[in-house]
Amino acid sequence: MATSDKGKSLLICLGAVLLLALSWALPASGFLNPYIVQVLMYVGINMILTMALNLVNGYMGEFSVGHAGFMAIGAYVSSIITVAVLPRELAPWLFPLVLVMGGLAAAAAGLIVAYPSFRTRGDYLAIVTLAFNMIVKSVLENLEILGGPRGYLGMPRLTNLVWVTAWVLITLLILRNLIYSNFGRGIMAIREDEVAANLTSVDTRRVKIIAFLISAFFTGIAGGLFAHVLQFINPRSFSILKSTDMLVMVYLGGVGSLAGSLLGAAIFTVLLEVLRPLGLWRWVLGPLLLVLLMIFRPRGIMGLREWRWLQPVLAFGGGGQGPTAPGPPPA
Amino acid sequence: MLQLLAQNVLNALQLGSVYALIALGYTMVYGILTMINFAHGDIFMVGCYLSLAAAAFLLGWQANLPLPLVFTAALLFSMVLTALLGVTIERLAYRPLRQAPRVSAVITALGVGLFLENFTLAILGPEPRQFPSLIAMTPWEVAGLTVTPLQILIVLLAGALMVLLDLLVRRTLLGMAMRAISYNRPIVPLMGVPVDRVISITFAIGSAIAAAGGLLYGLAYPVLDPYMGIRIGWWAFIAAVVGGIGNIRGAMLGGYLLGIVEVFTPVFLPSSTYRDFVAFSLLLLLLVFKPTGLLGRPVFERV
């Protein structure tokens, strides 16, 4: 088993390197036109957002509806750093650091949200995250230094496909390792039965807060990437509608599945681009899709299942029946 | 100074009545299904547009109908149709999810809300519509205060609807069934209570009341756009949570409180754009210190 494990890891590493090389070579050689590159970058950013939200809503079975607030904080903090703090010529080199700062700021905000809201269960987190989303938007609209409702601009276009691909891979790696760690089992135990998890010595409150912070962190990173693609952000881009988009991607792809998050984000983003000619009606189709999905396939495409190469080799006899195999639905 | 205060309280009462009417819908559905019906704000918006359609149609008629008649007709028309809409939504979107995890129903509700908004937007276009004036706006001067007949009508009609609803829930068999379902869902069908029908009726009543709120709101703030339900809906939702979600009197109290918050924000802060910030911060603070809301009972989870 050990050799095949090593072989698999090597293969995955090679795949990642190939992907990074392609994401540099394809746009640079002019093989992909800028529009497609742009769409691919959005796909990648949405993948990060979806994986991060899936950690809370899918793996942990809690319900956050305000992740756009964390995205806003990541976007604004990283933008302020690149525009007002860093000298122009240094910015491209320090970009990863800038993104991490944005992510940390989002995580700090996540702590403020998580601390009071994980005292009880149920719809509490939904209400608190919702309020948080509204407050962030309202504050940004009232901060004249940041352009208020008109938005903030002047960021150089630092995000490119390589950075997006790299961050998708980093997020995937970290979340995957987290989920299959002891800590990750604690997260899933909370989803299945919080009281029982507590009895089997999972420090549920601590696990919930840390998982939420990790989720907020990656959402903030995605926000930073987003701001440096668009080079212009305004509070309206981070309204509750954005949070709903993220929810659609999570539940389209499937709860409790990283593979599902990747698929859900890709399908949703590409679908919205393809349907662009429909104009306003495309915003009718999205919610309708969500409702039909919840009724007829509530677990999404990959709900509680995982691609084999994302699972550890030794997990329950080599994949298939991984630890995320169907259990009782989250309550 | 005292006059200004009284005037603002009056305005808050008018706005708070509308919030309270919508908050009732949130709280009734939550009480009976423990589900946050995030589409309720948009049901209110549809009710608003329906009453606009009825009023515009009747005014466009050559018959020169008296305005009170137009008002009553528009009220009944939008209440009935919106009630139908509420029941249809429950039947098509929520009932299939009755046994599913609660989160699925909440997400479906978000989806239904977005669907209603964008559907209205796609048919009617983004231009705001003007609501015709049905009630005389000539202000009366009472003890130095400006009072319009419309304000009196809004406060009285909303109050009457709330009293009726309160009586319905506390004094009738139907109300008893509602309270029983919210108290213990699994046992109630064994007692011969037609749970599905009671839930349908709850949605019908909640939506009809929201439609009444929609007409009153349209008269008081006569510019309608398809996204109006978002802000009003969220505010009414806060009102329901602040009052203690699931508690009908709490929703009324919360509605008036939110009216006060909205009217008094520009008095104390530089601009009314801070109102969302104030309202949601209030909600967060309340949830930290009194998670069940002002009038809510604590809930214990049975293991």
Side-chain angles (χ1 to χ4, degrees), chain A residues 63 116 119 123-124 127-128 130-131 134-135 138-139 142 241 244 247 251 280-281 283-284 287-288 291 294-295 330, chain B residues 30 92 97 101-103 106-108 110-112 114-115 118-119 121-122 234 237 273 277 280-281 284 287-288 291:
Chain A
F63 189 50
R119 293 197 308 186
D123 308 317
Y124 209 69
I127 298 171
V128 173
L130 177 83
M134 297 284 192
I135 289 175
S138 180
V139 167
N142 283 301
L241 287 174
T244 326
L247 288 172
Y251 291 93
L280 285 173
W281 287 96
W283 302 112
V284 180
L288 199 62
V291 172
M294 291 311 332
I295 295 173
Chain B
Y30 190 89
L92 293 182
L97 293 169
R102 268 173 55 203
V103 170
V106 177
I107 296 160
T108 310
L110 276 172
V112 171
L114 285 172
F115 174 77
N118 293 327
F119 190 73
L121 184 73
W234 288 128
F237 173 68
T273 50
F277 175 71
F280 281 99
S281 309
L284 279 191
L287 284 181
V288 170

Side-chain angles (χ1 to χ4, degrees), chain A residues 13-65:
Chain A
C13 281
L14 274 176
V17 171
L18 192 69
L19 207 60
L20 279 173
L22 277 181
S23 67
W24 172 77
L26 288 183
S29 64
F31 186 73
L32 295 176
N33 70 37
Y35 169 69
I36 293 183
V37 175
Q38 176 103 353
V39 173
L40 283 178
M41 283 199 270
Y42 285 137
V43 169
I45 291 168
N46 282 340
M47 281 175 172
I48 302 174
L49 288 174
T50 313
M51 285 190 278
L53 185 59
N54 212 335
L55 183 66
V56 173
N57 284 24
Y59 286 98
M60 198 157 68
E62 288 283 345
F63 189 50
S64 163
V65 275

Side-chain angles (χ1 to χ4, degrees), chain B residues 287-302:
Chain B
L287 284 181
V288 170
F289 293 110
K290 197 160 183 342
T292 51
L294 292 176
L295 299 183
R297 279 166 296 136
V299 184
F300 297 102
E301 196 180 341
R302 260 162 283 176

Side-chain angles (χ1 to χ4, degrees), chain B:
Chain B
M1 187 62 214
L2 201 67
Q3 219 169 351
L4 186 72
L5 188 76
Q7 185 70 53
N8 274 328
V9 168
L10 198 68
N11 294 344
L13 213 59
Q14 172 189 350
L15 191 60
S17 304
V18 177
Y19 285 143
L21 286 180
I22 305 163
L24 284 172
Y26 278 108
T27 225
M28 284 170 72
V29 169
Y30 190 89
I32 204 159
L33 285 179
T34 53
M35 166 199 155
I36 305 174
N37 181 13
F38 278 128
H40 193 64
D42 302 297
I43 292 178
F44 153 80
M45 178 272 295
V46 172
C48 212
Y49 269 98
L50 284 174
S51 47
L52 167 67
F57 174 75
L58 291 174
L59 289 176
W61 229 9
Q62 294 305 324
N64 264 338
L65 295 168
L67 285 181
L69 192 67
V70 175
F71 172 80
T72 317
L75 182 68
L76 291 179
F77 175 80
S78 72
M79 279 177 88
V80 168
L81 279 197
T82 314
L84 270 178
L85 175 74
V87 172
T88 315
I89 290 174
E90 191 271 331
R91 185 71 194 76
L92 293 182
Y94 301 157
R95 194 173 296 178
L97 293 169
R98 206 65 74 61
Q99 307 304 327
R102 268 173 55 203
V103 170
S104 316
V106 177
I107 296 160
T108 310
L110 276 172
V112 171
L114 285 172
F115 174 77
L116 290 177
E117 279 156 27
N118 293 327
F119 190 73
T120 316
L121 184 73
I123 329 181
L124 297 178
E127 306 82 26
R129 306 263 164 150
Q130 186 77 25
F131 207 96
S133 162
L134 297 179
I135 304 296
M137 290 291 267
T138 35
W140 299 327
E141 292 285 331
V142 182
L145 300 178
T146 334
V147 187
T148 62
L150 180 64
Q151 278 179 320
I152 308 268
L153 176 81
I154 289 179
V155 173
L156 287 186
L157 186 64
L161 281 172
M162 286 186 247
V163 170
L164 275 179
L165 183 73
D166 199 65
L167 285 177
L168 177 89
V169 171
R170 277 165 206 275
R171 296 286 161 82
T172 65
L173 208 57
L174 176 69
M176 192 194 268
M178 286 177 181
R179 280 179 290 139
I181 293 175
S182 94
Y183 187 72
N184 192 336
R185 255 292 279 304
I187 296 298
V188 169
L190 304 179
M191 311 293 177
V193 176
V195 175
D196 280 343
R197 201 188 308 157
V198 174
I199 290 175
S200 285
I201 295 173
T202 308
F203 269 87
I205 295 174
S207 307
I209 292 179
L215 174 58
L216 297 179
Y217 184 85
L219 287 171
Y221 310 91
V223 184
L224 314 188
D225 75 275
Y227 288 121
M228 64 188 283
I230 304 181
R231 201 190 73 77
I232 313 289
W234 288 128
W235 275 64
F237 173 68
I238 308 177
V241 177
V242 165
I245 193 152
N247 184 310
I248 288 191
R249 290 182 181 177
M252 302 175 193
L253 176 68
Y256 289 116
L257 268 179
L258 264 281
I260 291 173
V261 168
E262 173 149 2
V263 169
F264 279 89
T265 299
V267 177
F268 292 108
L269 284 169
S271 128
S272 66
T273 50
Y274 285 93
R275 60 189 180 185
D276 276 354
F277 175 71
V278 176
F280 281 99
S281 309
L282 204 74
L283 172 71
L284 279 191
L285 279 180
L286 188 90
L287 284 181
V288 170
F289 293 110
K290 197 160 183 342
T292 51
L294 292 176
L295 299 183
R297 279 166 296 136
V299 184
F300 297 102
E301 196 180 341
R302 260 162 283 176
V303 180

